[in-house]
């Protein structure tokens, strides 16, 4: 297969965790290293759909950028930028919100989850969030979008918007129809405390996730405290169905080890959970420790991070500003 045009985004809302790494950022790095055209965006406009502390936002934008770099995204190979610095995103979002249908947005489950019971009090931005996401992707003619499982429905919406625009404006190839790239296995990493809940930045318990900035001791402690059960170590994948916490831990192990679940189960045949947890901690430390140290080093070098973003913003702006002009022309402006 030829070169793919990759676009993806991560919100600068702090606490990037192992789920973000396994579900998204690790794949960004692999796609970059397979010589695809990659653009990775710190989606700060998405972040403000829920209230952010203005003083913290800037810090989090830099920290997310530092995380991209520390995980192996190379600004010489990929474009790294922040969304609010390229005004075409806001503009395209408005125009595409006139293409998207209410009925489509009403189906979005993430809005329902995030808005919770008091939907009337959610921001309008949170409701049209997936339209902004479609604008991000379509502005760059991205062909492939690596995301975690939770973003699949938003990608489908981006595809619907793209198709409707092309039909409405009788421009069959104007927008690409982007393909989601979702890992076949381990696409959803779960909380260490509750295997039915996603590992999340916003979980009030820090013990529920491994942050990419955690120290070695914090990681060891969190894995020690991760929920298991009193049954024996599983021997087949079938029995994992009713043991979500165990499935998640073995999933994390398998994903970092790049092994099949079945093979990981074999590795620990006749062992107990404490032996498994020691090995799991060792493996997480091997992968995450260098990233954590590099994030801390880069966080102290604001000048470098700002320069990376400035270079990326210029490159992104060059592409997006041309596309937005063409979108406006289609509307008749
Ligand atoms: P966010 O932190 O919501 O901006 O998400 C950034 C990326 O990480 C998206 O592609 C998500 O799908 C992915 N992601 C977030 N949480 C998880 C998780 N628990 N497991 C797998 N992928 C995740
Ligand atoms: N909504 C995505 C998330 O929360 C982040 C995002 C914004 C994104 N724009 C995007 C992902 C464009 C892929 C492509 O995870």
């Amino acid at each position: 297969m030829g070169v793919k045009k990759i676009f993806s985004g991560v919100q600068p809302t702090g606490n990037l965790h192992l789920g973000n790494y396994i579900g998204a950022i690790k794949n960004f790095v692999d796609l970059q290293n397979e010589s695809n055209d990659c653009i990775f965006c710190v989606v700060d406009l998405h972040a403000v759909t829920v209230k952010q502390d203005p003083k913290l936002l800037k810090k989090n934008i830099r920290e997310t950028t530092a995380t991209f770099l520390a995980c192996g995204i190379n600004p010489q190979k990929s474009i790294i930028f922040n969304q609010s610095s390229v005004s075409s995103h806001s503009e395209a979002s408005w125009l595409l919100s006139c293409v998207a249908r209410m009925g489509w947005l009403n189906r979005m489950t993430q809005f329902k989850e995030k808005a919770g019971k008091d939907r009337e009090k959610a921001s309008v931005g949170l409701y049209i969030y997936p339209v902004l996401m479609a604008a991000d992707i379509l502005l760059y003619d991205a062909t492939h979008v690596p995301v975690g499982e939770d973003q699949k429905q938003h990608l489908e919406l981006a595809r619907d918007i793209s198709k409707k625009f092309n039909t409405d404006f009788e421009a069959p190839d104007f927008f690409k129809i982007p393909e989601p790239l979702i890992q076949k296995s381990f696409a959803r990493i779960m909380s260490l405390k509750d295997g039915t809940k996603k590992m999340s930045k916003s979980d009030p318990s820090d013990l529920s996730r491994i942050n990419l900035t955690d120290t070695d001791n914090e990681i060891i402690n969190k894995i020690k405290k991760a929920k298991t059960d009193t049954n024996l170590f599983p021997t087949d994948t079938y029995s994992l169905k009713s043991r979500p916490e165990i499935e998640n831990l073995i999933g994390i192990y398998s994903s970092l080890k790049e092994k099949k679940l079945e093979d990981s189960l074999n590795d620990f045949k006749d062992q107990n959970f404490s032996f498994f947890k020691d090995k799991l901690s060792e493996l997480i430390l091997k992968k995450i420790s260098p990233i954590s140290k590099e994030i801390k080093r880069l966080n102290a070098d604001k000048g470098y991070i700002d320069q990376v973003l400035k270079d990326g913003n210029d490159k992104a702006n060059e592409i997006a500003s041309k596309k937005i002009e063409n979108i406006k022309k289609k509307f008749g402006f």
Side-chain angles (χ1 to χ4, degrees):
M1 195 155 165
V3 173
K4 300 184 181 99
K5 273 200 180 177
I6 307 289
F7 187 101
S8 197
V10 175
Q11 297 192 56
T13 37
N15 291 342
L16 281 174
H17 51 70
L18 195 61
N20 295 123
Y21 179 71
I22 294 176
I25 305 175
K26 181 168 165 279
N27 306 330
F28 299 176
V29 178
D30 291 343
L31 287 161
Q32 165 195 273
N33 294 341
E34 289 158 13
S35 300
N36 297 294
D37 278 348
C38 296
I39 307 182
F40 300 115
C41 183
V42 179
V43 289
D44 46 12
L45 296 173
H46 277 106
V48 297
T49 54
V50 295
K51 196 158 175 18
Q52 300 294 327
D53 176 347
K55 288 195 202 84
L56 264 182
L57 186 61
K58 185 102 204 166
K59 177 177 167 283
N60 283 335
I61 293 169
R62 288 199 182 104
E63 186 160 315
T64 303
T65 309
T67 305
F68 280 172
L69 298 170
C71 289
I73 296 173
N74 175 350
Q76 309 302 327
K77 293 186 185 166
S78 301
I79 299 178
I80 305 174
F81 79 107
N82 70 306
Q83 199 182 23
S84 67
S85 297
V86 179
S87 58
S88 312
H89 289 252
S90 306
E91 239 179 309
S93 178
W94 173 258
L95 295 172
L96 295 181
S97 76
C98 299
V99 176
R101 304 289 95 181
M102 292 279 288
W104 300 353
L105 282 168
N106 285 340
R107 284 197 284 275
M108 296 295 118
T109 54
Q110 184 172 297
F111 174 75
K112 291 178 195 162
E113 273 163 30
K114 284 199 179 172
K117 286 197 191 80
D118 207 353
R119 210 175 287 177
E120 299 280 308
K121 290 236 169 77
S123 74
V124 176
L126 190 66
Y127 181 68
I128 62 160
Y129 171 119
V131 179
L132 175 60
M133 180 161 160
D136 298 341
I137 298 165
L138 300 179
L139 272 174
Y140 297 90
D141 295 319
T143 58
H144 294 81
V145 181
V147 279
E149 176 75 31
D150 61 330
Q151 296 300 314
K152 194 172 171 202
Q153 198 183 30
H154 291 164
L155 245 293
E156 276 157 17
L157 185 94
R159 290 166 63 86
D160 289 341
I161 293 176
S162 170
K163 286 181 202 159
K164 181 161 167 58
F165 183 101
N166 291 352
T167 310
D168 287 358
F169 292 97
E170 294 173 25
D173 299 316
F174 185 83
F175 281 134
K176 295 273 180 299
I177 317 291
E179 294 284 339
L181 289 178
I182 298 171
Q183 293 190 100
K184 288 195 184 61
S185 28
F186 326 121
R188 249 168 95 84
I189 302 300
M190 311 310 277
S191 155
L192 300 179
K193 290 277 149 203
D194 176 353
T196 62
K197 267 180 29 194
K198 213 177 70 160
M199 184 177 284
S200 156
K201 293 168 176 175
S202 54
D203 194 312
S205 166
D206 197 54
L207 289 175
S208 69
R209 65 183 160 259
I210 305 281
N211 301 303
L212 296 181
T213 48
D214 279 345
T215 61
D216 291 4
N217 280 338
E218 280 167 331
I219 293 175
I220 293 167
N221 185 38
K222 285 177 181 180
I223 293 300
K224 250 191 205 132
K225 294 199 168 139
K227 189 172 169 196
T228 50
D229 56 36
T230 49
N231 296 331
L232 294 173
F233 198 85
T235 49
D236 63 83
T237 53
Y238 184 76
S239 65
L240 289 176
K241 295 272 171 280
S242 54
R243 301 171 77 186
E245 287 83 14
I246 314 292
E247 181 174 34
N248 186 45
L249 292 178
I250 302 172
I252 293 172
Y253 178 89
S254 307
S255 160
L256 294 177
K257 200 86 184 167
E258 296 181 3
K259 268 190 168 188
K260 285 202 190 116
L261 208 59
E262 291 83 348
D263 296 336
S264 301
L265 289 178
N266 241 339
D267 285 358
F268 295 100
K269 223 176 168 167
D270 305 324
Q271 295 291 353
N272 56 29
F273 279 114
S274 102
F275 179 80
F276 166 71
K277 280 185 164 183
D278 285 348
K279 292 289 166 205
L280 177 62
S281 289
E282 239 171 65
L283 180 61
I284 297 176
L285 287 185
K286 193 167 145 226
K287 300 278 172 181
I288 301 305
S289 247
I291 293 176
S292 163
K293 291 197 180 93
E294 184 63 0
I295 295 173
K296 283 172 193 145
R297 190 188 71 79
L298 287 166
N299 277 342
D301 195 350
K302 291 196 183 88
Y304 174 68
I305 300 288
D306 289 351
Q307 191 57 48
V308 167
L309 284 177
K310 189 181 173 311
D311 293 346
N313 290 337
D314 289 346
K315 288 183 201 157
N317 192 41
E318 209 176 302
I319 305 170
S321 59
K322 287 193 190 118
K323 192 75 183 181
I324 192 71
E325 279 317 308
N326 288 330
I327 298 173
K328 285 166 77 177
K329 271 194 203 138
K330 288 283 173 216
F331 273 91
F333 293 120

